[in-house]
Amino acid sequence: MKPKHTVRGLSAACLLAVPLALSGCGLFGSESAAVDPPPEEVEAQMLQISGETTLDTGVFAPISGEETVNTADSGVAAETGGAARAAGDRTTVFLEDGNGLLAPVSVSLAGGGEASLLESSLTALVSKGEYAAALPEGFKGVLPAGTEVKTVSVDKDRIAVVEFNSAFNDYDPADERKILEAVTWTLTGLNDIQGVQLWVDGKKLTEMPLLGTPLDRPLTRSFGINLPKVGSLLMNSSAVTVYFSAATPDGTQQYYVPVTRFVPAGQEPVEAALNELIAGPTPQQGLEMVMTGGTELTGVEAGQNGVVTVSLTDDMFADGSDVPEEMLESVVLTVAQNAGDAPVQIRLNGKDTVTGTNNVNYGQPVSAPDYVNELAL
């Protein structure tokens, strides 16, 4: 089986994308746009789904450690120099990009064990905080400036209980959902954490202080991320998340961006996700296409050995060689998100050998990368 590999600088030729389940559509290109809160009825449905379902924590690398952690005595010294805090363990945090969307970014944070890494991951989300200088250009934290992580513990059900100081409450109401998404998606990528519960200065939050988003149940990834500001509400639907791509401000690097959409219930998740990947992102969010207009999905098969075989056709890559890495990597990540991190092998135009521009043969089983969006500073 192909070992896990890391997605690094991505070309702008055929951009990337990746679903946790599905999404909707555009073509090669990008258009910057602000992100508004989702409609109230969409928000209500997401909260209901969040209480009923816990989605797969995804492809991000876990950390090891004790079940319960108190970070008050974690030994992480407070510093104002973000660059100084950057050396240490690598992990993934969800930061706001130039389009106003949250994206996973692989960063190096202060080491010293699980307690330190959990605290550091949340601290990296603080606007103008200790790690601000260590983040890639064009990305920033969404927690209010001055927010401090007082404690983090993980209970027997793998729910992370986080206590912030009162500065956590000093946010723009328009950022309320985004803050919850950033904290939830960051923590559920660590140590098999299944959900998040929030406290402020010793008091459990049952709702957010400004807009009143309910917090009576632990938040999971089924809460969604980067929900569209408009869209139809499907009465019998499932919430799924797709990773599309965008370009860094200087246009030299591509990175993955998760977007949650509603799809009709009852569809096979992996197949539906791949079809949505092929359809592409909506143009309003500044995201980019990864597949060509001629890509078609002809089959998805789960083998007894756990490997998922994805069959595609695309006349642009008739011989199965020099296929853009982004196109193939997006398929791997999509399947991993929807099939329990299963390895993937791709058949393109019926060929068993499918070679990417990174010289990897995706015709053999390939696993999702340990870290997503390792962007240069």
Side-chain angles (χ1 to χ4, degrees):
M1 180 177 296
K2 197 77 177 177
K4 288 187 178 181
H5 56 282
T6 302
V7 179
R8 296 186 182 275
L10 302 174
S11 76
C14 194
L15 313 172
L16 31 90
V18 107
L20 175 105
L22 264 78
S23 177
C25 25
L27 226 66
F28 292 95
S30 170
E31 177 181 340
S32 179
V35 178
D36 294 335
E40 291 184 4
E41 65 271 16
V42 174
E43 180 74 60
Q45 181 162 343
M46 290 307 303
L47 289 167
Q48 179 179 1
I49 294 173
S50 181
E52 296 172 351
T53 310
T54 299
L55 298 184
D56 192 329
T57 56
V59 299
F60 307 115
I63 59 175
S64 59
E66 300 296 327
E67 265 206 356
T68 301
V69 195
N70 189 309
T71 63
D73 299 314
S74 64
V76 179
E79 303 178 34
T80 57
R85 291 287 307 265
D89 296 330
R90 183 159 289 278
T91 188
T92 300
V93 297
F94 282 76
L95 304 172
E96 184 177 15
D97 71 0
N99 296 316
L101 299 170
L102 292 175
V105 178
S106 180
V107 294
S108 293
L109 304 178
E114 182 186 46
S116 176
L117 189 55
L118 286 171
E119 181 198 16
S120 296
S121 296
L122 290 170
T123 302
L125 305 183
V126 178
S127 175
K128 302 177 182 179
E130 298 167 6
Y131 287 108
L135 303 180
E137 181 182 359
F139 292 86
K140 62 182 180 180
V142 297
L143 297 185
T147 299
E148 297 177 0
V149 183
K150 300 181 71 172
T151 62
V152 182
S153 62
V154 183
D155 67 18
K156 61 181 178 62
D157 296 319
R158 310 307 301 156
I159 302 300
V161 181
V162 181
E163 182 180 1
F164 294 111
N165 68 344
S166 59
F168 174 81
N169 296 333
D170 299 330
Y171 59 87
D172 185 328
D175 292 334
E176 182 166 292
R177 164 171 266 278
K178 189 177 297 182
I179 287 169
L180 294 176
E181 292 173 0
V183 171
T184 300
W185 282 70
T186 293
L187 289 182
T188 53
L190 299 173
N191 205 23
D192 195 33
I193 291 174
Q194 298 299 306
V196 178
Q197 184 181 96
L198 300 181
W199 292 57
V200 172
D201 280 345
K203 181 181 179 181
K204 179 182 176 181
L205 295 184
T206 58
E207 64 179 20
M208 287 292 281
L210 298 186
L211 297 184
T213 301
L215 299 175
D216 53 331
R217 294 172 290 195
L219 292 172
T220 71
R221 287 196 172 191
S222 58
F223 181 67
I225 188 168
N226 294 326
L227 270 67
K229 61 180 180 180
V230 294
S232 59
L233 183 66
L234 303 177
M235 296 305 296
N236 185 23
S237 62
S238 300
V240 295
T241 299
V242 181
Y243 282 79
F244 294 116
S245 72
T248 54
D250 60 6
T252 61
Q253 300 180 88
Q254 295 296 130
Y255 59 93
Y256 296 93
V257 179
V259 176
T260 296
R261 304 287 175 85
F262 289 110
V263 297
Q267 297 185 10
E268 197 287 312
V270 174
E271 183 175 347
L274 291 170
N275 279 323
E276 290 297 325
L277 176 62
I278 292 170
T282 56
Q284 292 84 5
Q285 293 179 304
L287 302 175
E288 299 172 337
M289 190 73 173
V290 60
M291 299 293 186
T292 75
T295 307
E296 294 184 4
L297 177 68
T298 59
V300 176
E301 181 180 355
Q304 294 183 348
N305 57 355
V307 177
V308 175
T309 301
V310 175
S311 298
L312 301 169
T313 60
D314 194 321
D315 292 341
M316 187 175 292
F317 311 107
D319 61 357
S321 63
D322 291 326
V323 183
E325 172 188 354
E326 298 81 14
M327 176 179 178
L328 300 172
E329 201 62 45
S330 69
V331 173
V332 172
L333 287 166
T334 297
V335 174
Q337 283 281 22
N338 292 278
D341 292 332
V344 185
Q345 59 186 14
I346 299 174
R347 302 289 179 258
L348 184 58
N349 301 320
K351 298 186 181 300
D352 294 341
T353 299
V354 181
T355 307
T357 51
N358 56 350
N359 295 319
V360 172
N361 180 11
Y362 288 82
Q364 298 178 353
V366 177
S367 296
D370 291 321
Y371 302 103
V372 178
N373 297 338
E374 291 193 80
L375 304 175
L377 297 180

CSV table of all heavy atoms in Angstrom, one decimal, residues 22 39 65 76 103 124 131 133 136 205 208 224 232 263 316 321 339 369 377:
chain,number,residue,atom,x,y,z
A,22,LEU,N,-20.3,16.0,-0.3
A,22,LEU,CA,-20.8,16.6,-1.6
A,22,LEU,C,-20.7,18.1,-1.7
A,22,LEU,O,-20.6,18.7,-0.7
A,22,LEU,CB,-22.2,16.4,-1.6
A,22,LEU,CG,-22.8,15.2,-2.4
A,22,LEU,CD1,-22.7,14.0,-1.6
A,22,LEU,CD2,-24.2,15.5,-2.7
A,39,PRO,N,-28.9,31.3,5.9
A,39,PRO,CA,-30.3,31.6,6.3
A,39,PRO,C,-30.6,31.0,7.6
A,39,PRO,O,-30.1,29.9,7.9
A,39,PRO,CB,-31.1,31.1,5.1
A,39,PRO,CG,-30.1,31.0,4.0
A,39,PRO,CD,-28.8,30.7,4.6
A,65,GLY,N,-1.9,10.9,23.6
A,65,GLY,CA,-1.8,11.4,25.0
A,65,GLY,C,-2.8,10.9,25.9
A,65,GLY,O,-3.5,9.9,25.6
A,76,VAL,N,3.4,26.0,28.7
A,76,VAL,CA,3.6,26.8,27.6
A,76,VAL,C,3.6,28.3,28.0
A,76,VAL,O,2.7,28.9,28.4
A,76,VAL,CB,2.4,26.6,26.6
A,76,VAL,CG1,2.6,27.5,25.3
A,76,VAL,CG2,2.3,25.2,26.1
A,103,ALA,N,-10.2,27.6,6.4
A,103,ALA,CA,-9.5,26.6,5.7
A,103,ALA,C,-8.5,25.9,6.7
A,103,ALA,O,-8.0,26.5,7.6
A,103,ALA,CB,-8.7,27.2,4.6
A,124,ALA,N,-3.7,29.3,18.5
A,124,ALA,CA,-3.4,29.8,17.1
A,124,ALA,C,-4.6,30.4,16.4
A,124,ALA,O,-4.5,31.0,15.4
A,124,ALA,CB,-2.9,28.6,16.3
A,131,TYR,N,0.5,33.4,17.9
A,131,TYR,CA,1.0,32.7,16.7
A,131,TYR,C,0.8,33.5,15.4
A,131,TYR,O,1.1,33.0,14.3
A,131,TYR,CB,0.4,31.4,16.6
A,131,TYR,CG,0.9,30.4,17.6
A,131,TYR,CD1,0.1,29.9,18.6
A,131,TYR,CD2,2.2,29.8,17.4
A,131,TYR,CE1,0.5,29.0,19.5
A,131,TYR,CE2,2.6,28.9,18.4
A,131,TYR,CZ,1.8,28.5,19.4
A,131,TYR,OH,2.3,27.6,20.3
A,133,ALA,N,2.3,35.9,13.8
A,133,ALA,CA,3.4,36.0,12.9
A,133,ALA,C,3.9,34.7,12.3
A,133,ALA,O,4.7,34.7,11.4
A,133,ALA,CB,4.6,36.7,13.7
A,136,PRO,N,0.7,31.5,7.7
A,136,PRO,CA,0.9,31.9,6.3
A,136,PRO,C,0.3,33.2,6.0
A,136,PRO,O,-0.8,33.6,6.5
A,136,PRO,CB,0.3,30.7,5.5
A,136,PRO,CG,0.3,29.6,6.5
A,136,PRO,CD,0.1,30.2,7.8
A,205,LEU,N,-21.4,27.3,28.7
A,205,LEU,CA,-22.3,28.0,27.7
A,205,LEU,C,-23.4,27.1,27.2
A,205,LEU,O,-23.1,26.0,26.6
A,205,LEU,CB,-21.5,28.5,26.6
A,205,LEU,CG,-20.4,29.6,26.9
A,205,LEU,CD1,-19.8,30.1,25.6
A,205,LEU,CD2,-21.0,30.8,27.6
A,208,MET,N,-24.5,30.8,22.6
A,208,MET,CA,-23.5,31.8,22.4
A,208,MET,C,-24.1,33.2,22.9
A,208,MET,O,-25.3,33.4,22.8
A,208,MET,CB,-23.1,31.9,20.9
A,208,MET,CG,-22.2,30.8,20.5
A,208,MET,SD,-20.6,30.8,21.2
A,208,MET,CE,-19.8,32.0,20.2
A,224,GLY,N,-21.2,21.6,10.4
A,224,GLY,CA,-20.9,22.2,9.1
A,224,GLY,C,-19.8,23.2,9.2
A,224,GLY,O,-19.4,23.6,10.3
A,232,SER,N,-31.4,26.6,-1.2
A,232,SER,CA,-32.7,25.9,-0.9
A,232,SER,C,-32.5,24.9,0.3
A,232,SER,O,-31.5,24.3,0.4
A,232,SER,CB,-33.2,25.2,-2.1
A,232,SER,OG,-32.3,24.2,-2.6
A,263,VAL,N,-27.6,17.8,0.7
A,263,VAL,CA,-27.9,17.0,-0.5
A,263,VAL,C,-29.1,16.0,-0.1
A,263,VAL,O,-29.3,15.8,1.1
A,263,VAL,CB,-26.7,16.1,-0.8
A,263,VAL,CG1,-25.5,17.0,-1.2
A,263,VAL,CG2,-26.3,15.2,0.4
A,316,MET,N,-9.3,14.1,-21.7
A,316,MET,CA,-8.1,15.0,-21.7
A,316,MET,C,-6.8,14.2,-21.2
A,316,MET,O,-5.7,14.6,-21.5
A,316,MET,CB,-8.3,16.2,-20.7
A,316,MET,CG,-7.2,17.2,-20.8
A,316,MET,SD,-7.6,18.7,-19.8
A,316,MET,CE,-9.0,19.4,-20.7
A,321,SER,N,-1.5,9.3,-17.9
A,321,SER,CA,-0.2,9.9,-17.5
A,321,SER,C,-0.3,11.4,-17.4
A,321,SER,O,-1.1,12.0,-18.0
A,321,SER,CB,0.9,9.4,-18.4
A,321,SER,OG,0.7,10.0,-19.7
A,339,ALA,N,-15.2,7.6,3.7
A,339,ALA,CA,-15.1,6.1,3.9
A,339,ALA,C,-14.1,5.7,5.0
A,339,ALA,O,-13.4,4.8,4.8
A,339,ALA,CB,-14.7,5.4,2.5
A,369,PRO,N,-3.2,12.4,2.9
A,369,PRO,CA,-2.0,12.9,3.5
A,369,PRO,C,-2.2,13.1,5.0
A,369,PRO,O,-3.3,13.3,5.4
A,369,PRO,CB,-1.8,14.3,2.7
A,369,PRO,CG,-3.2,14.6,2.3
A,369,PRO,CD,-3.8,13.3,1.9
A,377,LEU,N,5.4,30.2,4.6
A,377,LEU,CA,5.1,31.5,5.3
A,377,LEU,C,5.3,32.6,4.3
A,377,LEU,O,6.2,32.6,3.5
A,377,LEU,CB,5.9,31.6,6.6
A,377,LEU,CG,5.7,30.6,7.6
A,377,LEU,CD1,6.6,30.8,8.8
A,377,LEU,CD2,4.2,30.6,8.1
